Amino acid sequence: VKAVIAEFGGQKKMAVMLGGCQQLMANWVRQGHMPFKHVKSVAATTKVPLRDILKPEIVEAANWILEQEKNAQL
């Protein structure tokens, strides 16, 4: 989340861009992730990979699904 905020030029600039407040951005930093509903638009406007934006549990689940699909094709 910190890398994403840096891409936007700070918490306040990112908040304005997303229609939120700086406190919301501070919460995301504290939590270490942002809500899923913002991920697509944020990823589209930054160079930060999706895996670095999503909650770790979501990345882990997506990797597990991909592995299951790969094994099913073998």
Side-chain angles (χ1 to χ4, degrees), residues 9-74:
Q11 290 183 9
K12 187 173 182 176
K13 287 183 179 181
M14 184 170 169
V16 168
M17 188 104 165
L18 296 175
C21 64
Q22 184 275 327
Q23 183 179 2
L24 179 62
M25 302 302 111
N27 287 341
W28 292 359
V29 169
R30 184 176 42 75
Q31 295 168 359
H33 65 273
M34 70 181 62
F36 189 75
K37 67 181 182 179
H38 297 292
V39 169
K40 188 175 179 180
S41 62
V42 168
T45 58
T46 68
K47 297 174 185 173
V48 179
L50 276 174
R51 68 182 170 276
D52 294 343
I53 298 172
L54 294 169
K55 287 177 79 169
E57 296 85 17
I58 294 174
V59 174
E60 187 177 316
N63 288 336
W64 182 83
I65 291 168
L66 291 172
E67 187 65 30
Q68 296 304 309
E69 289 175 348
K70 180 181 171 184
N71 290 337
Q73 293 175 355
L74 296 178

